[in-house]
Amino acid sequence: MDERVRAFGDELVKVHDWFRGELAKLRAGGDVTDDLRAHCLTFCDALNFHHSGEDRVAFPYLERLRPELKEPLDRLREEHEAIAALVGELRAATGPAAVERVAAELEAHLDYEEKVLVPVLNSLESVPWAVGG
């Protein structure tokens, strides 16, 4: 078995930790300045890319492999939609309250996703999205 696949859940945590670090930078920025807004737009695009990949590839694969994950995966999909709406608000935000609200929602989502998916991902022997896999 490819050890890169075995640790795929750990890799998800690393991606999430990057998002958490970027959220910390956004939170530390105070009012949304032009520099912070540009940083936020990059962050928001990366988050959208991450969630789109999960929704289009990873979640359908996991649902076929583990039907018992249907309910948690449905919840995660719904959270992706809610977060996308919040990110839209964040793009137009002018103050730290909006950043804080989006950050809190996103961190709760990342925590839940890790709780549900990391053990499953670390148990997989192959994934359809693995490079060379």
Side-chain angles (χ1 to χ4, degrees):
M1 174 192 320
D2 186 339
E3 288 304 313
R4 291 175 299 161
V5 172
R6 175 62 81 178
F8 196 76
D10 297 338
E11 293 302 314
L12 178 68
V13 172
K14 288 178 186 176
V15 170
H16 286 180
D17 284 346
W18 180 84
F19 283 123
R20 287 180 180 103
E22 295 302 299
L23 285 170
K25 290 176 190 175
L26 289 172
R27 283 175 158 153
D31 287 336
V32 180
T33 64
D34 288 341
D35 286 344
L36 183 60
R37 188 176 304 282
H39 179 80
C40 174
L41 294 177
T42 300
F43 169 82
C44 294
D45 288 345
L47 182 63
N48 181 55
F49 179 79
H50 174 72
H51 282 166
S52 294
E54 288 178 337
D55 290 341
R56 286 183 297 101
V57 180
F59 290 1
Y61 175 78
L62 292 173
E63 204 166 48
R64 286 190 304 276
L65 190 66
R66 301 264 182 98
E68 71 274 12
L69 289 177
K70 181 177 179 4
E71 187 174 318
L73 292 173
D74 284 346
R75 173 181 165 174
L76 290 169
R77 286 180 186 104
E78 289 171 8
E79 288 179 4
H80 288 174
E81 291 177 20
I83 289 167
L86 288 171
V87 164
E89 292 177 32
L90 184 60
R91 287 178 186 264
T94 57
V99 172
E100 184 57 38
R101 190 165 58 90
V102 172
E105 291 284 332
L106 182 55
E107 286 177 338
H109 167 75
L110 298 175
D111 291 344
Y112 177 74
E113 187 170 83
E114 288 171 5
K115 177 183 169 187
V116 171
L117 294 184
V118 168
V120 173
L121 293 172
N122 280 346
S123 73
L124 297 178
E125 294 187 17
S126 66
V127 292
W129 59 87
V131 175

